[in-house]
Amino acid sequence: DPASDITGDANGDGTRDSAQDEFIEFYNNSSASLDISGYTLSDGSELRHTFPASTIIPANKFLVVFGGGTPTGSFGGSIVQTASEGELNLSNNGDVITIENPSGDVVLIYSSSDTGINHGSNQSVTRSPDFTGGFVLHTDANAALLFSPGLLIDGNTLSINTFTNDELSIFPNPVNNGIITIKSSISGVKKIELYDLTGRLVKQQILNSETVDLQSITSGVYILKVGIEDKTATTKLLIQ
């Protein structure tokens, strides 16, 4: 339930919107990547979001679905999507969120009435402790924050493993022809995220090869994040 002023701007795009700043956060607590391509998110009987092709939540990582807007920031490096049907349309009372796989099997249900929590409290609901605890109002878990999409309750980024020097190479840098190569000795799906220096996500891609086309990106300094399975690397990238 986004607060009625700018403090309710959960998606970070500079505008508080009662529909666009609603969000649902998912966490993959397994040791393997989870492919949820084609899964659906419904609010009651209404379809609200279909997870697009190549939606893969790495092990021990978050995915956040916002109601809309232009989510701005890294959200702890989480996968970020906006509702494919235009909104989530979450209710403050009696809401039931259902996740189904492409075969129509129900794999997850969240019933707000089962928690006994007032969901109209100008903040999000979260698990406390992170991942394993029961559902509580966010300020009951951390009085300083109304929400923390893609982050831990305390607002910190979930720590993950980093690559060693011999496990990943990214070249050339500076980029002078619009193409970079990413090579790794670790097998698995490669995901790249490119942010400008204001923290705005300008490119996100699942790689099917070792090359990334950046020819459409304006010249400047960027932050490139590369993830494979549960490992990540972040580096400055100069595009000329």
Side-chain angles (χ1 to χ4, degrees), residues 117-118 121 123-124 126 128 135-146 153:
I117 297 171
N118 178 8
S121 300
Q123 59 184 289
S124 74
T126 188
S128 180
F135 289 102
V136 299
L137 289 174
H138 203 287
T139 54
D140 288 338
N142 178 1
L145 293 176
L146 298 176
I153 294 170

Side-chain angles (χ1 to χ4, degrees), residues 50-121:
T50 300
F51 294 91
S54 300
T55 298
I56 298 173
I57 311 178
N60 303 307
K61 290 282 286 182
F62 290 112
L63 180 149
V64 183
V65 179
F66 286 101
T70 306
T72 303
S74 67
F75 300 101
S78 304
I79 300 169
V80 177
Q81 298 178 355
T82 56
S84 61
E85 304 304 309
E87 60 182 6
L88 292 174
N89 197 30
L90 303 178
S91 302
N92 292 337
N93 294 292
D95 224 344
V96 178
I97 305 301
T98 304
I99 307 298
E100 297 182 0
N101 65 21
S103 299
D105 301 318
V106 175
V107 297
L108 187 67
I109 291 179
Y110 175 86
S111 175
S112 62
S113 59
D114 289 345
T115 65
I117 297 171
N118 178 8
H119 284 61
S121 300

Side-chain angles (χ1 to χ4, degrees), residues 151-171:
L151 301 168
L152 300 176
I153 294 170
D154 60 8
N156 289 322
T157 300
L158 178 66
S159 63
I160 54 179
N161 295 328
T162 57
F163 292 97
T164 61
N165 290 335
D166 60 349
E167 289 178 330
L168 184 73
S169 59
I170 302 169
F171 60 91

Side-chain angles (χ1 to χ4, degrees), residues 22-239:
E22 292 182 329
F23 69 89
I24 301 176
E25 179 184 72
F26 299 88
Y27 173 67
N28 177 8
N29 66 352
S30 76
S31 59
S33 294
L34 179 63
D35 187 345
I36 59 171
S37 304
Y39 281 54
T40 59
L41 184 162
S42 299
D43 175 26
S45 61
E46 298 294 326
L47 175 66
R48 299 302 182 191
H49 182 61
T50 300
F51 294 91
S54 300
T55 298
I56 298 173
I57 311 178
N60 303 307
K61 290 282 286 182
F62 290 112
L63 180 149
V64 183
V65 179
F66 286 101
T70 306
T72 303
S74 67
F75 300 101
S78 304
I79 300 169
V80 177
Q81 298 178 355
T82 56
S84 61
E85 304 304 309
E87 60 182 6
L88 292 174
N89 197 30
L90 303 178
S91 302
N92 292 337
N93 294 292
D95 224 344
V96 178
I97 305 301
T98 304
I99 307 298
E100 297 182 0
N101 65 21
S103 299
D105 301 318
V106 175
V107 297
L108 187 67
I109 291 179
Y110 175 86
S111 175
S112 62
S113 59
D114 289 345
T115 65
I117 297 171
N118 178 8
H119 284 61
S121 300
N122 297 325
Q123 59 184 289
S124 74
V125 171
T126 188
R127 286 188 181 274
S128 180
D130 286 298
F131 317 130
T132 59
F135 289 102
V136 299
L137 289 174
H138 203 287
T139 54
D140 288 338
N142 178 1
L145 293 176
L146 298 176
F147 45 76
S148 55
L151 301 168
L152 300 176
I153 294 170
D154 60 8
N156 289 322
T157 300
L158 178 66
S159 63
I160 54 179
N161 295 328
T162 57
F163 292 97
T164 61
N165 290 335
D166 60 349
E167 289 178 330
L168 184 73
S169 59
I170 302 169
F171 60 91
N173 189 7
V175 183
N176 50 29
N177 65 352
I179 303 294
I180 61 170
T181 299
I182 301 175
K183 291 189 175 183
S184 176
S185 60
I186 298 175
S187 60
V189 175
K190 295 188 186 75
K191 176 187 174 183
I192 65 107
E193 295 172 350
L194 189 69
Y195 298 90
D196 64 19
L197 293 185
T198 69
R200 181 174 64 94
L201 179 66
V202 298
K203 187 178 181 67
Q204 185 177 48
Q205 183 178 343
I206 300 295
L207 299 184
N208 296 314
S209 67
E210 294 182 337
T211 60
V212 182
D213 187 346
L214 299 176
Q215 296 180 79
S216 64
I217 306 298
T218 304
S219 299
V221 179
Y222 294 85
I223 303 298
L224 176 68
K225 182 176 181 180
V226 179
I228 305 176
E229 296 298 335
D230 65 341
K231 290 197 172 187
T232 187
T234 303
T235 184
K236 283 188 177 180
L237 191 69
L238 174 61
I239 300 178

